Structures are given as structure tokens and as C-alpha cells.
Amino acid sequence: MTSSPPQHSSSSSNTNSPSSILIIGSGLFGLTTAYSLSRRHEFANTSITVIDRSDPSSTSTFPSPDAASVDTSRIVRADYADHAYAALCDEAQLQWRQQEKPTDLGAQGRYYETGLVVVGDATTPAPVAAPPVEGDVSESPHKKLTGMDYARKSWENVLSLASHNPVLAERIRELPNVDAIREVLGTGGSSGAWGYINKNSGWTDAGASMAWLVEQVRQTGRVNFVAGTVVSLEHNETTVTGARLSDGRVLTADLVMVAAGAWTGSLVDLEGQAVATGQVLGYLDITEEEQEILGTMPVILNLSSGLFIIPPTNRILKVARHAYGYSNPQSLPIPPLPASPGSTSNPVVSIPRTSLHDPALCIPAEGEADLRAALREMAPLPGLVDRPFTKTRLCWYSDTRTADFLIDYHPYWKNLFVATGDSGHAFKFLPVIGDKITNCILRDCPPEFKEKWAWKEWEGSKVLFTEDGSRGGKPGLILDEELDKAAQILPAV
Ligand SMILES: Cc1cc2nc3c(=O)[nH]c(=O)nc-3n(C[C@H](O)[C@H](O)[C@H](O)COP(=O)(O)OP(=O)(O)OC[C@H]3O[C@@H](n4cnc5c(N)ncnc54)[C@H](O)[C@@H]3O)c2cc1C
């Protein structure tokens, strides 16, 4: 059961703007917030600092290369089962579509409106609920959707959003069967039993868009970038006062915002709120001829299997899986900030493991098999299906139970704000999310997201799976166990 968190956090920032804000993490959430704060009159006198684990010798690597926000591509879609997120993307796309000037967000190859095919499988059962924990008799209050349910709701939402504009509406078409799906894909492959194509959706070059965003933030001249790793939050009995870095430095601030993506749980106890899950990606070098065929395909996303392919550019094809993912529970040398003052936190937390610090890291065989299945099904070009991946990657989500973001003041610690719980779908909101987060800091959260983004009081199982109907794979997989199952392929990057 969810209930409202206690109204106990009365930070000094309730009514007065803080004189200093420290943002931990320069990914999508951290950087868009810094940009928004720097342009809002309420924060005209606030000093804004952004810290990241980025390379201290470089001024251009924010965010860190293993951040979720850095990759070749991210889907931009209003195709959501939830109407509020669909409408938020609709708003964001107004800016993604700006491409006239080279400095416009969508220009210079940062945004492609290639269309998106959304499909679901006919036979997939409803997702498995979290396994029962001893003494836990609670049930998830959230209705579990199948991938097909999600696809159908998403279809209704995009049709409703486009209903005011015949040009947009005309670009959405039902694909009632496998053959119709095959025809629009144009790769010879198909996926799912029913779906639709939405030509108003597309994808962005995420790395290039983040580089664009860093430049916008730098140009404001308002934001101080610090390279360093936060090891713990500084606090007194009731209040968070800053952050301690691995080199011993301490940064203090009136308001600390933790936007450390999937790493957030290593700094703040998120038990029952969000968990870091690793997701598999594979990249293939393709020939000029293959580029020509696949370069014109739409994005394809199967909401039952979670498998998706984004059209290749520069002869690199990416295939991925939006899944329950792998958790990576580790005992931390410094436990995260406890759930409330006076309590203790569990030092065992799922944290990201990436090839930045573990160059030999592979993806589990189970994940690779699914990526191969995606190629076989969605892009079955001769010679492609069995071609070794040029590289693979584990990329980390901060997953919440409902796939809603977690953007709120901490209910028990004063002067602490979190912006995390991206649940693998936040990138598309780059043009708009920073302003929404700033509104939340000003305690003016958009009404449609007030409950969704709030810190949840979870009284039941602490085992957490995202159950929004969009995930493939199996729930409950643990990274080390999966890696042990087979000696595996190429190093991840
Ligand atoms: C495989 C994959 C596919 C995805 N596909 C899509 C998609 O198609 N469409 C879409 O909209 N979204 C997609 N997403 C989701 C999107 O990329 C994320 O929602 C978004 O990038 C999350 O941003 P973030 O700021 O929360 O986290 P991140 O980008 O991970 O940023 C967190 C930052 O915090 C820093 N940090 C962490 N710990 C510390 C510390 N202790 N000290 C200092 N700094 C720290 C990290 O170095 C990092 O730079 C995908 C994500 C993945 C992984």
C-alpha cells in the first residue's frame, strides 16, 4: 500500500530560495535541473554547484561516460500507457523538433523522427509479481499490465494527443497483424501480434544531446562544475549539510540534491523506493549495404519482450532490452544515509557495475541470447544474426515499482532533495524535465505528477520490481549469479 509520506520535512527552502545548491550527478536529471535553476529568477542569487565522478583532468566529460545519459541513442516517444508521461513527451517534442539553427536542440543529428513501431505479443501472461517474502502478505496495489495492454493504452493515448491535429493523427496507423508489422519494418522481420506505427516518434543521439546540454549550462556562467566522487552525505541530527568526497574534501550547501542515477542508493537509503538494475545492450558493425536497408527502418519496440532496435547510423547497429534487469547487491564500506535520523541503513545495496572500473565486464549469456533473438526477429538480414557484437554494455536504471520518477524532498532529512528513479525512460524529457524538477524544489510539482513522483511510504515487501507492463526478461536476476552461469563473449564498454 502506498500512502502519503509524513509532512515532516520543512526545509529552509520551503519559502526562501537557498543561497547554495549542490547537485550530485550531472546526468539528465542533474544537468537539466542546473540549467533550469540558472535561468529562474527565484534562484538568481543562489550559487549552483554540480559534482560528478567525471574525469578530473577533463572539463568536457560531464556526465561520466558510464552514466545512463551517455549512449548512441535513446527513443523519444509519447507512446506511454500513462497519459501524463505521454503528454509530457508531447511537450518535450516541441523542442526536439527545433532544427533550424545549428544550436537548436534537434539540429546537427541530435534528433531523428523516424517513426516508432510499438508492438505486444499475444500470449505473454501478466508479469510475475514480486516473490513472496517471509511474513510479507502485502500485494502490489498497482494493476499489472501485460506488454499488449501497455501497447493498446499507449495507442489510445497517442491518438488522443494527436486528435487536435490532423497532420499528426494521420501519422499514426494500426498494424493489426504480423504481416502489417513486417511491411512497415522493411527489414524482412517482424515482432509481436498487434501494434501500431507512430511516425511522430523517433530517437535522439543521447551523447550528442548531453554535450549540447553541458554547453548550454556552461554558457549561463552560473554553474560551478566539480570533478569528484561523493562518498557520503554530511549531516547533523536532522539536516543534510553537504557531501564528503573520496579525496577528503567536503562541499557544503543549503540544499543538497542527489541526482546520481542508479548510484543514488549508495548515498541515500532507497529501500522500498528504487533499486539499481543493469540492462543489456549490444552494438554491431554493419556493412554499407546493411546500413542502407536498416537505416530507413522505424524504431521497433516490443513491450512484451522489452526488446528494441533503433535504426543504425554510421554503420553501427544497436540492439537492447528494456527488462527487469539484474540487481548487483554489494556491501558498501560506507552505508547510505539512513531512512531517517537516528536509524541505521542496510549496507547491502544494489549498485551499478560498469566497464569504466571493470574493463573485463561482460553481459550475461541470458541477456545476449535475448539480443540475438531480437536480431533474428526484427532484423533478420543474412549474416547479421550470428555476427559477434563489436561491443556490449551494461547500462543502469534506477527502477521504481511503478516506473514513476522519484523527485521530491526527503520526508525525514531536511535540506535533502532527490531526483532519481528514472526507470529507464527519462531521456526523452531532456527539454522539459529540469523545469519540472525546479518546480518541485519550489514545492509546486505539476499536479498530474505530485503523487507519482512523491517519496513513497511502502508498508509491504521491500523486494522491488518495476511493474508498469513494459518490461521483458525475468524478475529477480542477480548479476553475479548470471555472470557465473557461463563464461561469456566480449568485454562490455
Ligand atoms: C540501456 C538504456 C536504454 C535507455 N533507453 C531510453 C530510451 O530509449 N528513451 C528514454 O527516454 N530513456 C531511456 N533510458 C533512460 C535514460 O537514459 C535515463 O532515464 C537517464 O539518462 C537517467 O539520467 P540520470 O541523471 O538519472 O542518471 P545518469 O545519467 O546515470 O547520471 C547520474 C550521474 O551521477 C554521477 N554519480 C553517481 N554517483 C556519484 C557520486 N558518488 N559522486 C559523484 N557523482 C556521482 C554519475 O557519474 C552520473 O554521471 C535508457 C537507459 C538505459 C540504461
Side-chain angles (χ1 to χ4, degrees):
M1 291 253 329
T2 48
S3 63
S4 305
Q7 295 303 304
H8 150 196
S9 80
S10 61
S11 115
S12 60
S13 54
N14 281 4
T15 47
N16 306 316
S17 297
S19 64
S20 54
I21 294 186
L22 172 64
I23 299 176
I24 302 170
S26 68
L28 193 272
F29 280 138
L31 214 51
T32 55
T33 306
Y35 186 53
S36 169
L37 290 171
S38 71
R39 292 152 52 96
R40 295 280 281 262
H41 69 88
E42 296 94 330
F43 298 93
N45 298 315
T46 302
S47 89
I48 306 163
T49 300
V50 172
I51 182 166
D52 203 298
R53 298 148 57 237
S54 294
D55 181 359
S57 65
S58 167
T59 53
S60 61
T61 57
F62 291 86
S64 176
D66 59 350
S69 304
V70 180
D71 195 5
T72 51
S73 50
R74 292 284 178 261
I75 304 171
V76 177
R77 57 168 170 110
D79 306 75
Y80 273 89
D82 183 301
H83 192 269
Y85 289 100
L88 189 63
C89 183
D90 206 40
E91 186 185 334
Q93 279 182 293
L94 298 176
Q95 287 187 60
W96 283 116
R97 290 184 182 127
Q98 288 176 10
Q99 304 187 320
E100 272 168 33
K101 299 194 292 295
T103 48
D104 285 342
L105 172 59
Q108 297 185 317
R110 286 183 287 267
Y111 178 65
Y112 301 85
E113 206 153 281
T114 54
L116 166 69
V117 172
V118 174
V119 299
D121 293 342
T123 52
T124 308
V128 185
V133 173
E134 209 180 332
D136 172 20
V137 290
S138 67
E139 282 184 13
S140 165
H142 309 290
K143 185 176 178 310
K144 297 176 195 73
L145 303 178
T146 64
M148 183 64 94
D149 294 337
Y150 190 118
R152 289 194 183 276
K153 278 176 172 282
S154 168
W155 155 251
E156 285 164 20
N157 279 330
V158 289
L159 282 179
S160 136
L161 284 169
S163 59
H164 62 281
N165 184 336
V167 178
L168 295 181
E170 212 171 80
R171 288 161 61 83
I172 305 169
R173 182 160 62 87
E174 185 179 7
L175 304 171
N177 53 46
V178 176
D179 288 339
I181 295 165
R182 189 187 318 280
E183 199 186 324
V184 297
L185 264 187
T187 62
S190 190
S191 180
W194 176 92
Y196 66 90
I197 180 163
N198 180 1
K199 292 186 181 168
N200 303 311
S201 294
W203 62 276
T204 169
D205 178 333
S209 294
M210 285 308 284
W212 175 90
L213 180 60
V214 175
E215 187 48 34
Q216 304 304 306
V217 176
R218 287 194 194 282
Q219 279 179 16
T220 66
R222 288 282 321 278
V223 178
N224 175 30
F225 283 89
V226 176
T229 299
V230 174
V231 290
S232 60
L233 298 183
E234 291 283 289
H235 59 89
N236 58 30
E237 295 75 30
T238 57
T239 306
V240 169
T241 55
R244 179 172 292 274
L245 313 193
S246 56
D247 59 11
R249 278 180 293 168
V250 171
L251 304 178
T252 57
D254 282 357
L255 179 67
V256 174
M257 168 167 145
V258 186
W263 290 265
T264 304
S266 64
L267 299 175
V268 181
D269 186 339
L270 292 182
E271 204 161 17
Q273 304 293 324
V275 65
T277 66
Q279 309 286 332
V280 292
L281 294 160
Y283 305 81
L284 285 168
D285 284 345
I286 59 172
T287 64
E288 200 58 61
E289 203 186 356
E290 290 163 345
Q291 170 71 47
E292 222 160 273
I293 299 168
L294 300 178
T296 56
M297 71 183 279
V299 179
I300 164 94
L301 170 62
N302 183 318
L303 289 161
S304 301
S305 64
L307 295 168
F308 63 97
I309 293 183
I310 294 178
T313 47
N314 302 323
R315 293 176 37 209
I316 297 172
L317 177 67
K318 178 176 118 178
V319 50
R321 185 181 68 177
H322 178 59
Y324 292 102
Y326 312 106
S327 66
N328 181 38
Q330 301 292 320
S331 187
L332 302 178
I334 304 176
L337 182 79
S340 59
S343 65
T344 53
S345 56
N346 185 349
V348 179
V349 175
S350 176
I351 51 165
R353 182 166 159 196
T354 76
S355 56
L356 197 63
H357 300 289
D358 185 356
L361 182 63
C362 299
I363 60 170
E366 159 305 312
E368 201 222 347
D370 262 14
L371 299 186
R372 292 268 161 227
L375 285 172
R376 208 172 301 120
E377 190 177 89
M378 298 169 171
L381 268 51
L384 194 67
V385 170
D386 299 317
R387 189 175 305 162
F389 287 114
T390 321
K391 61 178 184 180
T392 58
R393 175 180 176 184
L394 277 173
C395 187
W396 292 81
Y397 295 172
S398 167
D399 264 337
T400 66
R401 204 176 294 274
T402 54
D404 289 310
F405 308 149
L406 178 59
I407 299 174
D408 199 0
Y409 282 95
H410 195 284
Y412 298 103
W413 287 100
K414 292 180 187 168
N415 296 355
L416 175 61
F417 188 89
V418 294
T420 188
D422 74 285
S423 303
H425 67 98
F427 200 90
K428 61 185 68 65
F429 303 116
L430 182 151
V432 293
I433 195 74
D435 272 340
K436 309 293 176 203
I437 295 174
T438 296
N439 288 346
C440 294
I441 291 173
L442 291 167
R443 302 207 179 255
D444 185 24
C445 182
E448 66 277 25
F449 290 113
K450 206 169 167 44
E451 208 175 301
K452 292 178 193 296
W453 293 352
W455 190 277
K456 307 292 186 308
E457 194 74 357
W458 185 258
E459 293 161 0
S461 165
K462 291 187 171 178
V463 180
L464 193 160
F465 302 115
T466 302
E467 293 174 321
D468 69 337
S470 70
R471 301 304 178 94
K474 297 187 196 82
L477 300 184
I478 296 181
L479 181 60
D480 279 339
E481 288 176 8
E482 293 307 311
L483 288 173
D484 283 349
K485 281 185 186 162
Q488 241 271 135
I489 56 167
L490 288 174
V493 294

